[in-house]
Amino acid sequence: MNVLAVALVSYALLSPAGGQVQPAPRPEVVRPAVKKPAAAPRAPAEAGPCQIGVIPIAGDLFMVEKFGPVKFLDKYTRTSVAAWALDDLVVSRVRAAAAGIAVRRIPYTPKELRSGGRQEQTSLFRPYREAAVVGSFVQFLAPRLRCERYLVVHRHGGTQREYGIGISQYPYGGPVHLFAMMFIRIYDGRTFEVIKEAPALMTEDTYLERMRANFLGGPSTQLDRAMFPEKPADVVNNPVLREGVRTMLTKSLDKTLPALLQRPAQIQPR
């Protein structure tokens, strides 16, 4: 009934008997539809047999750390360096160290990484990296590509306040350090137990080398204080920081991966 009443009233207003002169309808302006940008598709898992599945978590996160005289005055800022393609670099170094072995990259989304493969949004990146936490992420991704072994390269903390990949500045005219500290874990593809693990270092892990080259607990290089970025957004376009990180990442992975990937010699039966 309501629809009919509206129709009748409209007819009366538009008819000559209604005593109303209706203005000509204004032409409707047709606006072009604005297309929403399509979401970037997740890269599919690589096809073919897989002996080593690589899960790189070097990522695009760069830390800018300005330390105060006491720890609670430290300032931490994050910025994206996705253009540096650090995860691609990790995969390339694994392939170089595993010549003749079928190496495949395991894809994941940023959301999956943040949740660690769980439904609740529990961050995978915690101050303490337990093998079980990373292992659960490996098990979450494993159905996408079944592999004999899974190799994870992720950021970790050193012996000081630096963490992952970034640059730090100490107070009172202290040093500025560029650092790239990674940890490598290899999991069995059936049991998901840790087979081998080690920090990625550019030198031998001895007391002398730790004091001489790894005093932050991982690869680092000291820079002039003028190299500390005034704004975190300046980092991505800084060639010195980019090449410094990529060089440390390459050298540390090339030094550490071959021994971790080596399988124990099979004992021949008599």
Side-chain angles (χ1 to χ4, degrees), residues 161-209:
R161 286 181 274 184
E162 287 82 1
Y163 185 88
I165 294 175
I167 191 169
S168 62
Q169 182 188 74
Y170 284 78
Y172 307 124
V176 167
H177 294 290
L178 182 68
F179 52 91
M181 295 185 284
M182 296 285 108
F183 199 88
I184 305 168
R185 284 193 169 97
I186 301 179
Y187 293 83
D188 183 274
R190 294 180 296 104
T191 65
F192 296 102
E193 294 181 354
V194 177
I195 301 173
K196 292 182 180 180
E197 60 180 5
L201 300 176
M202 295 190 296
T203 65
E204 298 297 330
D205 190 16
T206 63
Y207 176 78
L208 181 61
E209 290 297 331

Side-chain angles (χ1 to χ4, degrees), residues 71-92:
K71 193 171 183 179
F72 73 87
L73 294 177
D74 293 350
K75 295 180 180 179
Y76 298 87
T77 309
R78 302 178 180 184
T79 189
S80 173
V81 288
W84 294 3
L86 299 181
D87 282 347
D88 292 341
L89 175 61
V90 168
V91 175
S92 72

Side-chain angles (χ1 to χ4, degrees), residues 20 37 49 81 114 123 148 156 176 211 248 250 261 267-268:
Q20 300 286 340
V81 288
R114 286 193 299 270
S123 175
E148 295 177 12
H156 82 124
V176 167
M211 296 298 295
M248 287 187 288
T250 299
L261 291 174
I267 300 176
Q268 298 295 330

Side-chain angles (χ1 to χ4, degrees), residues 12 14 31 41 50-51 64 100 119 121 126 154 160 163 189 194 196-197 202 205 208 219 230:
L14 292 173
R31 301 181 182 275
C50 178
Q51 292 174 286
V64 179
Q119 293 300 319
Q121 294 298 308
R126 292 180 175 179
H154 64 83
Q160 306 301 318
Y163 185 88
V194 177
K196 292 182 180 180
E197 60 180 5
M202 295 190 296
D205 190 16
L208 181 61
E230 294 185 7

Side-chain angles (χ1 to χ4, degrees), residues 188-267:
D188 183 274
R190 294 180 296 104
T191 65
F192 296 102
E193 294 181 354
V194 177
I195 301 173
K196 292 182 180 180
E197 60 180 5
L201 300 176
M202 295 190 296
T203 65
E204 298 297 330
D205 190 16
T206 63
Y207 176 78
L208 181 61
E209 290 297 331
R210 283 195 296 269
M211 296 298 295
R212 187 182 67 85
N214 296 318
F215 49 91
L216 295 184
S220 67
T221 183
Q222 188 169 332
L223 301 178
D224 187 274
R225 283 182 65 85
M227 292 303 302
F228 192 83
E230 294 185 7
K231 296 183 293 183
D234 296 337
V235 169
V236 68
N237 294 321
N238 189 314
V240 174
L241 302 184
R242 177 184 180 275
E243 292 309 311
V245 166
R246 289 180 64 87
T247 297
M248 287 187 288
L249 197 55
T250 299
K251 288 184 176 180
S252 61
L253 292 174
D254 288 353
K255 176 69 175 176
T256 311
L257 281 170
L260 291 180
L261 291 174
Q262 187 176 10
R263 288 185 179 275
Q266 297 291 332
I267 300 176

